[in-house]
């Protein structure tokens, strides 16, 4: 099987949950501690062996495109001042020419449609990854790397999976499991944002996928589904209908939903506490703040 070397990043969303910040700043550029959201996804992808990065963007995302450019003036100034560590950090964000592509999604028609927009950049026999940068996953071995390794043995389509509380199932794509093998599950169905009480399980799809090009063909014909949008989940479920394998992969790691304000703040605190230079001051502040809060109640 060919290794997975391409990843599609759907980043066309308007980020309305973070207005007014996202009026002029793409959501993916919002920072967790000192790195934009997208940087976490890029690093995860690199660790998994991804060499080509395909961004599906929209109007207003130019700051995202600029972020991956070289910054010669800034680099020269850091070099001159001998700030080698910062220089290294900065250079790690550059994307070599030819490794990065931008495709425009002209209409907001859903995640499935966004992925379909990248179809011409994926070869006919080439499995590819999809990464939703809103889902930030802290893990010893990157989530996508865990999946790429598992996928090398299974083939087919694979989605990252995680148990969620039953009452939250309607916010996710949910797997209908036919065989549970521990970290790997075989799916006999998938449903996007099921109505409360109708979810086939509480095993949710998290924003990491390894897909066969068949899914892109399915997307040609996928009709509008949940929320009136073309859903990636429906195109993957079509694979099962056609008798091909779809697996869920229970990854090792902690997932933060950075598409929500609470999740974004949790990730910020968790990642800051991991930083030796911030840990002490921040945890002292948090302790004091929480005890003040409790005393006031
Ligand atoms: C998307 C997918 C959904 C998945 C979720 C994970 O939904 O459509 O299947 O469970 O990401 O974060 P969104 O959160 O963009 O509505």
């Amino acid at each position: 099987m060919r290794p997975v070397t391409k990843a599609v990043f759907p980043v066309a969303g308007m980020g309305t949950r973070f207005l007014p910040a996202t009026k002029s700043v793409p959501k993916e550029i919002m920072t967790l501690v000192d790195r934009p959201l997208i940087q976490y996804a890029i690093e995860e992808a690199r660790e998994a062996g991804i060499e080509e990065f395909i961004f599906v963007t929209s109007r207003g995302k130019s700051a995202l495109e600029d972020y991956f450019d070289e910054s010669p003036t800034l680099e020269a100034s850091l070099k001159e001042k001998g700030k080698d560590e910062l220089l290294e950090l900065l250079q790690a964000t550059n994307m070599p020419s030819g490794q990065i592509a931008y495709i425009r999604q002209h209409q907001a028609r859903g995640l499935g449609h966004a992925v379909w927009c990248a179809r011409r950049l994926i070869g006919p026999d080439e499995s590819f990854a999809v990464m939703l940068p809103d889902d930030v996953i802290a893990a010893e071995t990157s989530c996508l790397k865990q999946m790429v390794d598992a996928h090398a043995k299974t083939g087919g389509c694979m989605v990252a999976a995680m148990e969620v509380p039953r009452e939250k199932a309607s916010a996710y794509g949910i797997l209908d499991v036919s065989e549970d093998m521990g970290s790997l599950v075989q799916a006999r169905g998938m449903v996007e944002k099921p109505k409360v009480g109708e979810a086939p399980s509480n095993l949710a799809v998290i924003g990491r996928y390894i897909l066969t090009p068949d899914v892109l063909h399915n997307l040609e014909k996928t009709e509008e589904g949940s929320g009136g949008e073309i859903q990636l989940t429906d195109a993957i479920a079509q694979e099962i209908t056609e008798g091909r394998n779809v697996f869920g992969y229970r990854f090792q790691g902690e997932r933060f939903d950075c598409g929500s304000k609470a999740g974004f703040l949790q990730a910020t605190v968790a990642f800051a506490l991991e930083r030796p230079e911030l840990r002490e001051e921040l945890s002292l502040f948090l302790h004091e703040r929480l005890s003040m809060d409790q005393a006031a109640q």
Side-chain angles (χ1 to χ4, degrees):
M1 215 185 317
R2 271 173 79 163
V4 179
T5 57
K6 289 184 186 171
V8 176
F9 299 80
V11 290
M14 286 186 285
T16 45
R17 277 195 259 179
F18 287 93
L19 279 171
T22 45
K23 186 178 170 197
S24 64
V25 180
K27 183 176 59 174
E28 300 74 21
I29 290 294
M30 287 175 47
T31 48
L32 283 182
V33 189
D34 51 12
R35 283 191 256 174
L37 263 192
I38 195 68
Q39 185 66 33
Y40 291 86
I42 297 288
E43 277 163 27
E44 182 181 333
R46 280 198 171 127
E47 192 186 323
I50 299 298
E51 291 165 359
E52 287 180 60
F53 301 79
I54 302 164
F55 291 86
V56 182
T57 69
S58 61
R59 189 181 294 270
K61 297 283 175 163
S62 49
L64 186 63
E65 301 190 15
D66 291 345
Y67 176 76
F68 295 114
D69 271 352
E70 291 182 15
S71 37
T73 320
L74 191 54
E75 286 180 28
S77 139
L78 291 176
K79 202 168 186 174
E80 202 185 294
K81 291 181 188 141
K83 297 192 168 172
D84 295 342
E85 251 175 60
L86 278 180
L87 183 64
E88 209 176 296
L89 199 71
L90 192 68
Q91 283 171 340
T93 64
N94 298 344
M95 284 283 195
S97 303
Q99 276 198 3
I100 189 158
Y102 301 99
I103 298 279
R104 201 83 154 191
Q105 185 188 22
H106 295 102
Q107 297 164 324
R109 297 188 60 198
L111 177 60
H113 180 260
V115 172
W116 175 80
C117 288
R119 67 199 177 283
R120 292 190 198 285
L121 297 180
I122 306 292
D125 306 313
E126 197 174 30
S127 288
F128 62 100
V130 174
M131 301 183 76
L132 311 188
D134 273 2
D135 283 327
V136 173
I137 301 172
E140 217 160 277
T141 301
S142 95
C143 175
L144 191 64
K145 166 94 171 94
Q146 296 173 40
M147 289 173 69
V148 162
D149 290 347
H151 182 263
K153 296 182 196 122
T154 63
C157 287
M158 185 175 279
V159 300
M162 183 182 105
E163 261 82 21
V164 296
R166 279 257 166 204
E167 66 278 11
K168 295 213 168 141
S170 50
Y172 294 92
I174 296 290
L175 293 166
D176 189 358
V177 175
S178 59
E179 198 186 343
D180 196 330
M181 297 162 271
S183 52
L184 200 64
V185 304
Q186 173 121 28
R188 65 170 155 229
M190 276 172 87
V191 38
E192 179 68 14
K193 304 201 170 72
K195 292 201 186 87
V196 177
E198 290 181 11
S201 76
N202 67 336
L203 192 59
V205 176
I206 300 303
R208 303 289 183 273
Y209 307 77
I210 299 176
L211 303 177
T212 61
D214 290 328
V215 175
L216 297 171
H217 294 301
N218 299 346
L219 281 167
E220 299 275 348
K221 292 171 256 129
T222 305
E223 287 174 8
E224 289 168 358
S226 167
E229 296 188 332
I230 297 178
Q231 296 295 349
L232 186 58
T233 300
D234 294 343
I236 301 171
Q238 181 67 28
E239 286 299 281
I240 305 172
T241 311
E242 312 229 344
R244 292 187 282 266
N245 284 333
V246 173
F247 299 99
Y249 185 81
R250 287 193 186 95
F251 55 93
Q252 300 287 320
E254 189 179 6
R255 173 252 184 180
F256 296 95
D257 173 12
C258 291
S260 78
K261 284 177 207 168
F264 197 96
L265 290 169
Q266 286 159 15
T268 304
V269 172
F271 284 26
L273 288 174
E274 292 289 314
R275 295 285 189 89
E277 76 277 21
L278 297 174
R279 187 179 171 82
E280 204 182 316
E281 202 177 332
L282 181 62
S283 59
L284 191 65
F285 168 79
L286 289 173
H287 277 120
E288 283 175 5
R289 190 75 195 199
L290 289 175
S291 37
M292 261 163 64
D293 250 31
Q294 272 158 9
Q297 272 170 21

